[in-house]
C-alpha cells in the first residue's frame, strides 16, 4: 500500500508526531491489518493519552485480534475521558457480548442508544441482545425501528421475525422472515422459522 509506505517514512522523520501514527493506524485498519494498527495506536495513546477516539480505535483493533480484556480497558478509558464519545458504549457492549456477558452488553447498548438515538445498528444489536435475554416485546419494538431505518439488514429482519413469532404476531413475522430469506439466501434459519410460521397459520404448502 503506497499510503502505508509514505506514512511509515513520515514517522521515521517525526517519530513523536502522533498524527502520523494515527494516520498510519487508520491506513492499516482500512485494509484490516489489525496487529500493526494496534501497535501504532498504542503509540498514539502514549503520546496523547487524553484523546478518547484513539482509545476507541485501539480497542477495536485489539477486539479484532481476540484480545478482548485489553480492548474493554481501552473502551473504558475512552468513556472515562468522554462519557458521550460516539459508539464508545456500543463497542464496549460488543466486547462484553463476545465474553457472553449479555446483561453488561444490554446496559451499554442502552447507554449508547440514549446518548445517540436512532442508529439502526445500535437498535439492532440492542434488540438482538434483548431477544437472547428473553425480552421479545422490547426486542420487537427496537428491531422494528432498526429495519425501518435500514431494511436491507438481513440479520435484523431475521431477529425481528423471530421476536414477532415468539409474540404470536405470525403474519408480521412472516413478512420479516420472508425479507430475511431474500437477504440471506444461503442461511437456513429464516427458512426454518418461515416453515414454523406458515404451520401456525396452516399454510404448510408454502
Amino acid at each position: 500500500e503506497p499510503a502505508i509506505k509514505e506514512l511509515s517514512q513520515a514517522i521515521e522523520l517525526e517519530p513523536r508526531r502522533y498524527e502520523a501514527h494515527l494516520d498510519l493506524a487508520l491506513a492499516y485498519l482500512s485494509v484490516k491489518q489489525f496487529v500493526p494498527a494496534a501497535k501504532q495506536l498504542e503509540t498514539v495513546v502514549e503520546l496523547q493519552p487524553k484523546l478518547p477516539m484513539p482509545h476507541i480505535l485501539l480497542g477495536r483493533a485489539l477486539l479484532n485480534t481476540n484480545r478482548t480484556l485489553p480492548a474493554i480497558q481501552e473502551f473504558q478509558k475512552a468513556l472515562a475521558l468522554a462519557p458521550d464519545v460516539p459508539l464508545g458504549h456500543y463497542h464496549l457492549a460488543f466486547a462484553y457480548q463476545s465474553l457472553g456477558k449479555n446483561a453488561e452488553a444490554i446496559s451499554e447498548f442502552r447507554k449508547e442508544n440514549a446518548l445517540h438515538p436512532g442508529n439502526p445498528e445500535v437498535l439492532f444489536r440492542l434488540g438482538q441482545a434483548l431477544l437472547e435475554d428473553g425480552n421479545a416485546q422490547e426486542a420487537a419494538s427496537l428491531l422494528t425501528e432498526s429495519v425501518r431505518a435500514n431494511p436491507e439488514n438481513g440479520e435484523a429482519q431475521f431477529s425481528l421475525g423471530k421476536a414477532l413469532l415468539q409474540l404470536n404476531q405470525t403474519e408480521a413475522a412472516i413478512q420479516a422472515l420472508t425479507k430475511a430469506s431474500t437477504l440471506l439466501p444461503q442461511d437456513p434459519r429464516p427458512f426454518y422459522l418461515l416453515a414454523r410460521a406458515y404451520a401456525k397459520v396452516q399454510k404448510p404448502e408454502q
Side-chain angles (χ1 to χ4, degrees), residues 19-180:
E19 294 95 339
H21 290 281
L22 182 56
D23 287 342
L24 181 54
L26 292 170
Y28 279 127
L29 287 173
S30 72
V31 292
K32 300 188 185 306
Q33 293 189 32
F34 299 111
V35 173
K39 184 179 178 182
Q40 294 303 318
L41 288 161
E42 284 166 354
T43 301
V44 174
V45 299
E46 181 184 324
L47 294 170
Q48 290 287 337
K50 293 187 178 180
L51 291 178
M53 193 49 67
H55 288 287
I56 296 282
L57 294 171
L58 176 54
R60 286 177 55 193
L62 292 169
L63 200 55
N64 276 286
T65 54
N66 297 315
R67 295 160 67 189
T68 308
L69 292 177
I72 286 173
Q73 291 176 345
E74 293 304 322
F75 297 138
Q76 289 172 334
K77 287 176 187 176
L79 289 163
L81 290 165
D84 61 348
V85 61
L87 297 180
H89 292 285
Y90 170 83
H91 289 300
L92 180 55
F94 212 83
Y96 280 137
Q97 265 192 330
S98 72
L99 293 176
K101 295 186 173 184
N102 206 40
E104 290 89 338
I106 288 170
S107 175
E108 295 302 323
F109 281 134
R110 286 195 190 282
K111 290 174 186 175
E112 184 67 43
N113 193 46
L115 285 167
H116 309 284
N119 183 321
E121 184 65 16
V122 175
L123 292 165
F124 160 52
R125 295 293 180 183
L126 176 54
Q128 191 180 51
L130 287 165
L131 185 59
E132 289 177 13
D133 204 47
N135 189 345
Q137 189 74 52
E138 188 180 0
S141 175
L142 291 162
L143 291 162
T144 298
E145 195 178 342
S146 177
V147 301
R148 189 180 297 126
N150 179 18
E152 301 306 305
N153 185 338
E155 287 290 342
Q157 294 281 5
F158 170 74
S159 293
L160 175 58
K162 186 177 179 181
L164 291 169
L165 200 57
Q166 289 182 17
L167 296 168
N168 292 316
Q169 297 180 31
T170 311
E171 293 291 352
I174 287 171
Q175 288 184 1
L177 291 166
T178 300
K179 181 72 173 176

